[in-house]
Amino acid sequence: MGKLIAQRLGLAVVTLAAFSVLIFAGTEILPGDLASAILANNATPENLAALRHQLHLDLPAYVRFWNWASGVAFHADFGTSLASGQPVLDEIIPRLKNTMFLALAAAIVSVPLSVVLGLTAAIKQGSVYDRLVNVVTLMTISVPEYFMGYILITIFAMQLGWFSPISNVTPEMPFFERILYTILPMSTLVLVVVAHMMRMTRASVLAIMASPYIEMAILKGIPKWRIVVQHALPNALAPIISVIAINLAYLITGVVLAEVVFVYPGLGQFMVDSVSKRDMPMVQGCGLIFAAAYIMLNMIADVLAIMTNPRLRHPR
Amino acid sequence: MSELEYLKNQHKLGRLSRREFMGRSAALGASAATIATMVAEVDAHAEETPKSGGTLKLGLGGGSTTDSVDVTSYNDSVMIDTSPAIFNSIVEWGHDGKTKPELAESWEAKPGAQEWIFNLRKDVKFHNGKAMTADDVIYSLNLHRGESKSGGAAAIKNVKDIKKLTDNQISILLESADADFTYNLTDYHMKVVPNGFTDWANPIGTGAYTIEKFEPGVRVLLKKANGDYWKKDRGHADSIEITVINDGAARLNAVISGQVDAINRVDPKAVGLLQKSSKLDLVRAPGGWHTVMAMTVDQAPYTNADLRLAMKYAMDREQIMKALFQGYGQIGNDHPIPKTDPYFNTELAVRKHDPDKATFYFKKAGLTDPKIVLQVSDAAFNGAVDMATLLQSSCQKSGIPMDVKKESADGFWSNVWLKGAFVASYWGGRAAATQMLDTAYQAKAAWNETHWNNEKFEKLLRDAKAETDEAKRKSYIWEMQAMLSDEGGALIPVFKDWLQAGSKKIGGLAPTSGFDMNNGYVCEQAWVKA
């Protein structure tokens, strides 16, 4: 087991390294550079050249990649932002904290909620409740998240006046107030991710329910909820865990639209800004963090799946 | 109604006397009662005395995580509106569109308008207590000269030399005469910092406020600076909180729900919604921001003057204005001088949409296979692609084959603009008519997007800049407008109004033509009533 985890960790590091090359290459092939993006139609050839030189944009790409990658790998130094001149990490960390806060809040609500909904729907398969849960979650996942955000704002902020329409949380905000400001964007995310996890839970459990040993249990007269929770769920955990991992990763990396609608100061918006301004160290820093989140969550999901299912420990 | 509001704003700004305002609004068919209400409203506005204290909350679009307090880096609303709170300029761009003293208490041009003497105020101190002197001003202007990355470089490119005469007097020598030079100093980059200052993370200026917290692209907290502000009638609020809200709907929600007191860039489509609210005022100001579809006059097929004229007749200005700006703007006449400019040519008839004339001139141009392709992207401005499509369909009606090529928003300014033969773009407008013409229509200008090169025009522009006699200047500038309108390569369908909204709880939010939010001076001019 320990060897397996070490293997996975090693693989994760290799993936991350490969990813850093991809991120850098990706930022290289974008048209234009920071200098022209900053100056837009205020650019004259003279001040464009001056700005390029000041930002070291006139160095060859491989030199810039080496400077960046070696800094990250050996000194945990992500470089300095081209636009603001501040260290990348200093600027990213407060944003990352906000994003994690929102993602965590959404995860705390959505994961138990979707597992419970999925289980109960599986137990009452075919009932009105089952169909209702299915239809409602299908509806919430079908609405684009920015639109879902607008709907929540219109109802709960503008009509009822319970919450603020903008969620501009600040570091000095008291915890309770912060929660209050986070409720609407958090609810938006919950509504968007619940369906996926709930349906996977329901489907995996039902798939197991069709197997012979469950039939045996039914014949033995064990109550349905016990069959589902004790016999079916443990065997259905692997796919559920991986779908949860994917959704958690999405909560961290894919919430840009919700951030824009709610004016939430998270990392997604930050990266989009940096891309449009060609602030490469920032883009690369965010990209690495997002990649690390994905890789780590997937790794954890893999390990957990292997732990819950002994058969996966001995791949054929 | 919109024309009436325009008149009301003009009256509010003092550009229209009460008698003129009443006469002209009556001519528009407004009832006596309506006019009386409007006059009373303007009077009330003028009589309001600012209140001190409180926190002014602004929700502004046009901010980014890459923003910086560095005066050479500004290019969008949030920093342009933040910076005047911290720094002062040498010359202020007043509400009436004219220049007025700020850190320079007076100035004069030597005959010929090539050398300018500025007398600086003696009673102004920086936040660190140091008195502001000529050295500081010279250092600050030099930030934008020579090998500079500044976006303001172009505004003072004409400056040849800056000399210190005394501690409170400087002389600026220009390469070529410019009677409008003081307008160049109103450029939003031209802020004054202490001599040798480089620590932009801890900015020091002479403004009413200092930075308490600066989170680029998120928010700016400003606090009243220690000591009395040297402008006695400005800098009312104790603190100012600017929240960056780039999403139009979110911005609107924020002001309607009272999260912020005022917002910029109101979506024209949402004006109706705003006017329903009894707690909000719409602040509408016509300005110099205009859309351009630029044909380069030295590249086929646009070398053909008849084709250019055909395009101008084919363009349906009214339709573009309605579809893109909901009527909140002024119709353009293919020259870049806005109605608000004192040198706007009032006698030049606006070209009407005329499909028949368009067909006539297109046939007259006699082109067998004209490849008319407009390169466009919404990076130019929001709605640029729609504008191109509208032009395409109205061209079709006149039998002019035109294609729209949608370019990637990334790198639009570096790869397409100034490179393509027919490209969409925009201009934010300039303080002075000559400045605008100089920037985009002078033959040698780096940003001459239509490659306009006309000897007569060049002479007129030179003469206009050197001429201090009002009547003569006016005739030169009027003639240049007529030339561009008839022969130029720019299609300029509309000038956009600045639309802002403010809660009735705050005062001092005025319509200004130069830039949004009181020409950027909102922080020191607005106040909290309750």
Side-chain angles (χ1 to χ4, degrees):
Chain A
M1 193 71 200
K3 188 175 155 228
L4 207 94
I5 293 177
Q7 249 177 9
R8 295 273 162 169
L9 259 175
L11 210 61
V13 172
V14 174
T15 316
L16 205 55
F19 209 87
S20 71
V21 178
L22 279 181
I23 294 172
F24 191 87
T27 53
E28 275 304 302
I29 56 175
L30 287 173
D33 62 11
L34 175 81
S36 62
I38 285 183
L39 293 166
N41 65 351
N42 277 331
T44 62
E46 295 89 356
N47 63 0
L48 209 55
L51 188 55
R52 282 205 177 114
H53 180 70
Q54 187 190 328
L55 299 171
H56 304 298
L57 292 175
D58 45 0
L59 292 176
Y62 64 88
V63 176
R64 280 180 288 126
F65 176 72
W66 174 248
N67 290 346
W68 172 66
S70 61
V72 173
F74 305 130
H75 312 287
D77 173 11
F78 282 68
T80 50
S81 156
L82 295 182
S84 70
Q86 301 296 311
V88 167
L89 272 189
D90 288 4
E91 303 229 344
I92 285 183
I93 284 173
R95 297 300 199 98
L96 183 63
K97 278 185 190 157
N98 287 343
T99 295
M100 294 306 271
F101 186 84
L102 181 57
L104 205 68
I108 288 172
V109 176
S110 63
V111 172
L113 183 69
S114 47
V115 171
V116 167
L117 282 178
L119 281 182
T120 47
I123 292 170
K124 311 222 172 211
Q125 187 200 359
S127 69
V128 177
Y129 171 80
D130 179 28
R131 269 180 265 162
L132 196 71
V133 169
N134 266 299
V135 168
V136 170
T137 51
L138 200 62
M139 265 164 59
T140 60
I141 203 176
S142 313
V143 178
E145 58 191 276
Y146 70 91
F147 191 63
M148 179 64 78
Y150 284 141
I151 293 176
L152 292 186
I153 289 176
T154 308
I155 298 173
F156 295 102
M158 306 311 287
Q159 298 293 330
L160 298 172
W162 292 352
F163 304 105
S164 156
I166 52 176
S167 306
N168 49 340
V169 296
T170 61
E172 65 267 12
M173 210 175 242
F175 184 74
F176 180 72
E177 202 182 331
R178 197 185 171 94
I179 294 272
L180 212 63
Y181 271 87
T182 314
I183 284 181
L184 283 188
M186 187 268 286
S187 311
T188 308
L189 295 178
V190 167
L191 289 172
V192 171
V193 297
V194 150
H196 195 191
M197 293 191 280
M198 170 263 155
R199 292 172 84 83
M200 187 52 110
T201 308
R202 180 179 175 276
S204 329
V205 168
L206 284 180
I208 303 281
M209 292 291 280
S211 42
Y213 74 91
I214 299 288
E215 222 165 298
M216 186 67 208
I218 296 172
L219 290 175
K220 271 163 62 183
I222 300 175
K224 184 126 186 217
W225 68 267
R226 256 187 72 186
I227 296 177
V228 169
V229 175
Q230 270 186 355
H231 299 261
L233 182 61
N235 287 294
L237 267 181
I240 298 176
I241 288 172
S242 73
V243 98
I244 289 178
I246 288 175
N247 278 290
L248 290 186
Y250 170 79
L251 286 179
I252 297 172
T253 60
V255 298
V256 178
L257 289 174
E259 285 177 8
V260 172
V261 170
F262 287 100
V263 198
Y264 188 87
L267 201 54
Q269 180 58 35
F270 191 71
M271 182 160 172
V272 172
D273 267 4
S274 303
V275 170
S276 65
K277 283 282 161 63
R278 303 283 181 273
D279 193 345
M280 294 320 169
M282 288 293 199
V283 177
Q284 290 152 4
C286 294
L288 266 191
I289 286 174
F290 285 155
Y294 251 100
I295 293 169
M296 214 168 67
L297 282 165
N298 271 310
M299 194 182 76
I300 293 172
D302 273 0
V303 171
L304 282 180
I306 292 168
M307 277 163 69
T308 56
N309 192 340
R311 267 176 304 177
L312 292 175
R313 262 175 252 168
H314 309 284
R316 269 168 290 184
Chain B
M1 191 62 201
S2 65
E3 190 69 13
L4 202 59
E5 253 169 49
Y6 170 75
L7 291 177
K8 185 175 123 190
N9 275 345
Q10 294 292 304
H11 176 39
K12 220 184 214 173
L13 291 173
R15 283 189 205 146
L16 212 58
S17 74
R18 171 172 305 207
R19 177 185 292 264
E20 273 177 309
F21 169 68
M22 291 172 79
R24 284 174 66 177
S25 32
L28 277 174
S31 73
T34 315
I35 297 172
T37 326
M38 286 178 114
V39 168
E41 219 178 289
V42 173
D43 286 349
H45 183 87
E47 275 163 21
E48 260 176 328
T49 35
K51 261 197 174 146
S52 301
T55 299
L56 181 68
K57 292 180 185 164
L58 305 173
L60 301 179
S64 146
T65 48
T66 51
D67 284 345
S68 153
V69 187
D70 184 343
V71 294
T72 61
S73 74
Y74 307 152
N75 67 353
D76 216 339
S77 288
V78 171
M79 290 322 294
I80 294 170
D81 295 339
T82 299
S83 150
I86 311 162
F87 309 108
N88 291 125
S89 293
I90 305 160
V91 178
E92 182 180 332
W93 195 0
H95 288 186
D96 57 358
K98 303 220 168 77
T99 53
K100 56 186 243 182
E102 197 167 349
L103 286 177
E105 56 187 2
S106 64
W107 53 77
E108 56 167 340
K110 292 272 173 74
Q114 204 168 355
E115 192 186 351
W116 289 76
I117 310 290
F118 289 85
N119 300 305
L120 306 171
R121 297 189 69 101
K122 296 178 181 132
D123 57 344
V124 180
K125 286 196 164 61
F126 284 102
H127 297 145
N128 60 3
K130 191 185 105 52
M132 188 268 310
T133 66
D135 292 321
D136 305 315
V137 172
I138 294 172
Y139 171 78
S140 304
L141 288 177
N142 282 339
L143 287 174
H144 313 282
R145 297 181 61 216
E147 274 231 344
S148 169
K149 60 168 182 142
S150 172
I156 55 168
K157 209 175 167 199
N158 192 18
V159 173
K160 192 174 172 186
D161 193 23
I162 307 177
K163 273 202 299 267
K164 173 177 165 180
L165 302 178
T166 70
D167 264 357
N168 297 96
Q169 197 178 48
I170 60 168
S171 126
I172 299 181
L173 188 68
L174 305 180
E175 298 272 2
S176 63
D178 186 358
D180 282 331
F181 177 66
T182 51
Y183 284 93
N184 294 48
L185 295 180
T186 64
D187 182 288
Y188 51 74
H189 297 91
M190 305 297 150
K191 301 292 176 206
V192 174
V193 298
N195 189 8
F197 185 79
T198 51
D199 182 15
W200 298 110
N202 302 294
I204 292 175
T206 52
Y209 297 90
T210 53
I211 282 204
E212 175 93 347
K213 205 149 226 165
F214 180 61
E215 292 171 42
V218 180
R219 62 175 181 151
V220 188
L221 289 187
L222 300 163
K223 199 183 64 183
K224 193 101 183 254
N226 291 329
D228 278 342
Y229 184 38
W230 63 271
K231 292 185 197 172
K232 298 299 168 214
D233 57 342
R234 300 274 184 93
H236 310 293
D238 284 341
S239 54
I240 295 169
E241 196 180 315
I242 297 173
T243 308
V244 181
I245 310 179
N246 286 324
D247 184 67
R251 209 157 51 236
L252 202 64
N253 284 336
V255 76
I256 292 178
S257 70
Q259 291 284 310
V260 297
D261 300 322
I263 59 167
N264 64 350
R265 302 191 189 174
V266 171
D267 183 346
K269 290 190 212 85
V271 168
L273 193 71
L274 265 179
Q275 282 171 335
K276 273 190 214 145
S277 165
S278 56
K279 290 179 284 183
L280 296 172
D281 276 327
L282 178 76
V283 180
R284 176 188 178 192
W289 191 103
H290 60 275
T291 62
V292 181
M293 288 175 274
M295 302 180 277
T296 46
V297 297
D298 58 354
Q299 279 181 62
Y302 313 106
T303 41
N304 190 313
D306 287 320
L307 173 73
R308 301 202 296 266
L309 206 53
M311 297 294 289
K312 287 174 185 176
Y313 277 116
M315 182 166 58
D316 190 341
R317 295 156 210 269
E318 295 282 351
Q319 184 194 32
I320 291 174
M321 168 79 102
K322 264 209 199 102
L324 261 54
F325 301 95
Q326 254 73 24
Y328 290 97
Q330 318 292 325
I331 297 280
N333 203 12
D334 303 324
H335 64 72
I337 310 304
K339 207 172 166 179
T340 46
D341 195 288
Y343 293 104
F344 174 76
N345 187 337
T346 49
E347 276 163 25
L348 197 63
V350 175
R351 192 170 280 113
K352 288 255 165 11
H353 174 51
D354 192 333
D356 294 338
K357 270 193 186 155
T359 315
F360 170 79
Y361 281 108
F362 182 65
K363 284 202 177 122
K364 193 175 163 216
L367 300 164
T368 46
D369 182 22
K371 286 201 171 52
I372 307 176
V373 182
L374 174 60
Q375 290 171 278
V376 68
S377 155
D378 274 344
F381 59 91
N382 217 344
V385 176
D386 296 336
M387 185 173 78
T389 319
L390 288 177
L391 178 65
Q392 185 188 27
S393 77
S394 53
C395 273
Q396 239 161 25
K397 277 180 212 145
S398 306
I400 305 175
M402 180 197 137
D403 281 321
V404 173
K405 187 169 176 228
K406 216 179 142 188
E407 301 283 349
S408 139
D410 281 346
F412 180 79
W413 296 113
S414 47
N415 300 338
V416 180
W417 185 62
L418 294 182
K419 298 207 164 64
F422 188 17
V423 175
S425 83
Y426 80 95
W427 284 96
R430 291 294 189 269
T434 52
Q435 207 187 338
M436 187 67 234
L437 295 168
D438 212 22
T439 313
Y441 297 90
Q442 196 239 105
K444 288 199 194 72
W447 298 327
N448 179 1
E449 52 188 5
T450 56
H451 297 197
W452 178 243
N453 186 350
N454 181 308
E455 250 174 66
K456 192 174 149 207
F457 184 91
E458 292 294 302
K459 185 174 180 321
L460 280 169
L461 184 56
R462 263 197 314 274
D463 291 348
K465 285 173 71 178
E467 185 59 68
T468 43
D469 180 278
E470 278 298 308
K472 279 189 194 156
R473 269 168 73 80
K474 191 168 153 183
S475 74
Y476 298 153
I477 296 173
W478 277 32
E479 196 176 343
M480 284 187 278
Q481 289 173 56
M483 284 178 79
L484 285 177
S485 178
D486 292 340
E487 303 156 41
L491 302 176
I492 302 178
V494 279
F495 287 78
K496 181 183 76 171
D497 287 349
W498 298 108
L499 292 176
Q500 296 132 98
S503 148
K504 289 204 196 304
K505 283 192 296 188
I506 63 162
L509 203 61
T512 45
S513 54
F515 200 77
D516 64 3
M517 305 313 264
N518 295 24
N519 279 346
Y521 282 82
V522 63
C523 290
E524 66 166 38
Q525 290 179 356
W527 67 87
V528 186
K529 285 182 192 167

